[in-house]
Amino acid sequence: MSKSLNQWILSVAAVLIAVLVLLALTAPWLPIADPNESQLDQRLLPPLHPEALLGTDTLGRDIFSRLIWGLRVSLLVAIAATLVAAVIGSSIGILAGYARSWFDQLAMRGIDLLMAFPYLILALAIVAILGPGLINALLAIAIVNIPFFARTARGITLGLTREPFIEAARMGGQGHLSVLFREVLPNVFPTLLITSTTTLGWMILETAGLSFLGLGAQPPTADLGSMLADGRKLMLVHPHVALLPGLLIFVLVLGLNLLGDGLRDRLDPRLRGGALNAPGAATTVESIVVSAKGPETDSKQSLLSIRDLVIEFGQGAGVVRAVDGFQLEIHAGQSIGLVGESGSGKSATAMAITRLLPSPPGRIAAGSIEFDGRNLLSMNAEQLRRVRGKEVAYIFQDPLGSLNPLMPVGQQVAEAIHGAESMNRKALNEKVVALLEETGLPDPATLCKVLPHELSGGQRQRIGIAMALANDPRLIIADEPTTALDVTVQRKVLELLDTLRKNRGTALLFISHDLAVVQAMCSQIVVLKDGRIVEAGESETVLRTPKAAYTRQLIEAIPSL
Ligand code: ADP
Ligand code: MG
């Protein structure tokens, strides 16, 4: 759905709910008839009657007035029930998630027990025990909704307790209560708020359901459900008596749900940026330049040729130009380093090369990217798939994040091998072991069966390198491959990468914020700042006689012993 349409719906829902809530709140002071006063000489007047705007019911009571008072009761009960369920449920959930141990076990089994009953039947059973009446109906629907809040709160809290910032708070000497209120609660709250708005719609329906069955509001008090029940018998002769409250329930619940959805999109900054919209198979390209071959460079020789690349994020007023006018030529076997501080657009460029940059929010706004004479920007998903991982391979910064945590590493390396399906098991195994051996991993045959979390950071990155090498790629793009590793391991991994590259004659685009590392690895350096190239040339020349002030800063930042 387009953004403007979404916003339009949200505004309409917000105005509608605001009007309904205002009507319900101000009911006692509105110039409307007494909702419970029956005038037997004015029974069942049709809508738009001069005496009653929306007509009257079987006892001659004004329907318009009863709708407003009924709305007041329904909203009050639903909001109160939501609050009760939210407070009790979330407290149980947060405590269970935070404390774990026996309390978690006890609470969650209790919740499981509640959830094992069909929801409405449980509410009916509770009212049957407590007796009919609005307060009891309120308690019943609050109780049946406790499990939803408890489960949601527990799930989030459980995830939070493993976060470093909670550990840091504990190390800082905060007690459990302080951690719960200052660290956990603010992080759980937005989700609970959203759960509440969606639950509110349900609660209206449930209250109406119980009242419809005669278990909620008792006469003469009207709520929307009991009005619906009153009109049911007259459905064929005087449909307005039942239709009007039915319509109001429909509009109210729809409005609340739309409002809840809109609120969620507003509250979650990731949703606002469109980040959770499933990105397409390839980065969107705005304008395809068919041939941008400059006269002076013979792109016959170069393996990868990038011209005037522009990468943008976001839409409308919030467009960020992350990369602007990027140029690059890589020849077969060459190694080029891309340096720049964090946020300078290195990763965006790297991902754009095989169109892996997620769209939305990213897109290639202009420029050309050619690999081995083929235009990558005009390729379809199928053609790109044949380039990715086979001709151009990636090594990522965080080897743990790019490996499937539940799959033995050997199997993951095997999956990276092109045509693995058609190889027999033995040959495939041998190939995997050979690849792991090449990266210097000890005892590859045993390591194959191990899960990613059982390896050290350096070992995981070697697995990443093995996967990148699996298909003898012609270009490897390594995006900060050693930033997550400690210094000694870093050196070993870099040496390995350098040796492998030289032995295989693979071209390398090496990305780092560390000029010293890039200088050791690459013959050429491109310096990027705020998405623009500030300097490019031979490593030696750039380091000895830097032209740009920014490069000088980077050189000064290299620690010397
Ligand atoms: P780095 O050089 O550290 O790898 P990136 O290429 O990841 O930098 O990011 C470059 C710039 O692109 C950032 O400064 C940011 O402004 C923008 N950017 C990156 N990802 C997103 C995103 N998902 N949404 C909006 N802007 C983004
Ligand atoms: Mg990066």
Side-chain angles (χ1 to χ4, degrees):
M1 220 187 290
S2 80
K3 198 167 179 186
S4 60
L5 183 60
N6 262 339
Q7 271 170 350
W8 191 80
I9 292 177
L10 178 61
S11 322
V12 170
V15 169
L16 190 83
I17 295 300
V19 168
L20 289 179
V21 168
L22 201 70
L23 278 177
L25 279 178
T26 55
W29 302 282
L30 291 178
I32 50 176
D34 180 345
N36 298 326
E37 186 194 40
S38 50
Q39 288 179 301
L40 294 177
D41 52 334
Q42 301 205 324
R43 301 173 61 220
L44 294 168
L45 295 181
L48 301 179
H49 192 276
E51 291 290 316
L53 181 64
L54 295 177
T56 56
D57 67 1
T58 25
L59 296 176
R61 295 173 297 194
D62 184 75
I63 289 185
F64 180 66
S65 160
R66 278 181 80 74
L67 276 181
I68 290 178
W69 281 89
L71 178 70
R72 184 179 162 92
V73 173
S74 290
L75 269 176
L76 209 69
V77 171
I79 292 173
T82 307
L83 278 180
V84 171
V87 170
I88 298 180
S90 316
S91 305
I92 295 176
I94 292 177
L95 285 178
Y98 186 79
R100 316 295 325 271
S101 72
W102 63 269
F103 180 75
D104 185 27
Q105 288 294 328
L106 198 72
M108 284 305 117
R109 293 303 81 78
I111 296 293
D112 286 345
L113 210 64
L114 269 186
M115 286 183 99
F117 291 101
Y119 185 69
L120 202 60
I121 307 274
L122 182 60
L124 285 174
I126 295 171
V127 180
I129 295 168
L130 298 177
L134 259 183
I135 299 290
N136 292 345
L138 187 159
L139 285 177
I141 57 172
I143 291 172
V144 297
N145 277 289
I146 285 176
F148 298 104
F149 284 97
R151 297 221 138 211
T152 311
R154 177 180 177 268
I156 305 169
T157 310
L158 210 56
L160 281 173
T161 51
R162 305 208 180 105
E163 295 278 337
F165 76 93
I166 300 274
E167 271 168 29
R170 281 213 199 101
M171 302 240 223
Q174 288 192 33
H176 287 308
L177 262 179
S178 162
V179 172
L180 269 177
F181 278 96
R182 294 196 13 213
E183 315 290 337
V184 177
L185 201 59
N187 282 290
V188 185
F189 192 73
T191 316
L192 292 180
L193 191 70
I194 289 154
T195 314
S196 301
T197 58
T198 2
T199 311
L200 197 58
W202 271 107
M203 294 281 201
I204 301 264
L205 289 178
E206 283 156 21
T207 326
L210 287 180
S211 290
F212 183 82
L213 295 174
L215 299 170
Q218 299 300 311
T221 313
D223 84 333
L224 297 176
S226 62
M227 288 179 69
L228 201 62
D230 285 347
R232 182 178 48 121
K233 286 159 272 173
L234 306 165
M235 194 60 199
L236 291 179
V237 262
H238 299 287
H240 72 278
V241 184
L243 277 184
L244 287 169
L247 200 67
L248 188 57
I249 294 174
F250 171 76
V251 171
L252 183 63
V253 174
L254 188 67
L256 282 173
N257 287 348
L258 287 175
L259 200 64
D261 280 355
L263 212 61
R264 186 196 58 207
D265 295 0
R266 281 293 163 91
L267 281 180
D268 194 329
R270 290 167 306 167
L271 287 169
R272 249 183 281 147
L276 292 191
N277 294 348
T283 312
T284 314
V285 179
E286 249 165 29
S287 66
I288 296 174
V289 182
V290 180
S291 179
K293 289 190 180 81
E296 71 274 39
T297 40
D298 52 337
S299 55
K300 268 244 167 59
Q301 271 190 5
S302 68
L303 183 64
L304 178 74
S305 154
I306 304 180
R307 306 265 166 78
D308 308 318
L309 183 69
V310 177
I311 298 171
E312 290 178 344
F313 284 97
Q315 279 150 352
V319 172
V320 178
R321 196 163 261 216
V323 174
D324 195 359
F326 186 83
Q327 317 277 349
L328 188 73
E329 298 283 334
I330 302 185
H331 297 266
Q334 202 179 19
S335 64
I336 295 195
L338 187 56
V339 266
E341 63 195 359
S342 166
S344 54
K346 307 181 298 292
S347 297
T349 309
M351 299 295 272
I353 292 175
T354 55
R355 312 242 317 264
L356 277 172
L357 187 71
S359 285
R363 70 182 171 281
I364 297 171
S368 73
I369 303 178
E370 281 184 20
F371 181 78
D372 197 21
R374 285 165 288 165
N375 187 349
L376 288 177
L377 298 191
S378 62
M379 284 192 179
N380 61 28
E382 183 53 38
Q383 291 167 319
L384 279 170
R385 227 158 51 82
R386 268 178 254 142
V387 174
R388 289 177 187 161
K390 290 168 200 130
E391 295 186 88
V392 183
Y394 283 86
I395 301 172
F396 293 103
Q397 171 176 349
D398 174 16
L400 192 55
S402 44
L403 291 172
N404 179 342
L406 294 181
M407 198 189 268
V409 290
Q411 205 176 328
Q412 301 196 48
V413 175
E415 281 197 347
I417 297 171
H418 179 43
E421 315 83 62
S422 56
M423 289 167 86
N424 72 41
R425 271 186 91 100
K426 195 158 169 282
L428 191 61
N429 251 337
E430 275 166 13
K431 171 130 199 207
V432 170
V433 169
L435 277 167
L436 294 187
E437 213 152 38
E438 207 177 340
T439 62
L441 281 166
D443 195 5
T446 323
L447 261 177
C448 277
K449 298 179 193 84
V450 158
L451 291 172
H453 73 268
E454 296 170 290
L455 295 173
S456 74
Q459 286 175 320
R460 282 198 286 261
Q461 197 52 294
R462 281 167 202 265
I463 301 285
I465 294 174
M467 288 168 78
L469 294 176
N471 303 305
D472 266 318
R474 300 169 66 189
L475 171 67
I476 293 180
I477 299 173
D479 190 352
E480 314 227 21
T482 57
T483 308
L485 307 177
D486 61 58
V487 190
T488 44
V489 182
Q490 176 172 350
R491 221 177 89 203
K492 285 192 193 137
V493 170
L494 288 177
E495 276 165 10
L496 167 71
L497 202 59
D498 201 38
T499 319
L500 289 175
R501 188 191 68 76
K502 285 189 183 129
N503 291 349
R504 290 174 171 239
T506 317
L508 175 71
L509 177 60
F510 186 89
I511 296 174
S512 177
H513 57 270
D514 188 339
L515 201 54
V517 168
V518 171
Q519 177 218 0
M521 295 287 293
C522 309
S523 59
Q524 304 261 324
I525 292 184
V526 177
V527 184
L528 206 60
K529 181 177 195 298
D530 298 334
R532 289 172 184 274
I533 296 179
V534 292
E535 184 150 6
E538 300 278 332
S539 302
E540 294 280 303
T541 324
V542 170
L543 275 170
R544 213 167 299 142
T545 52
K547 288 199 267 323
Y550 180 64
T551 319
R552 278 196 290 279
Q553 282 172 20
L554 284 181
I555 293 172
E556 276 158 23
I558 300 176
S560 59
L561 293 175

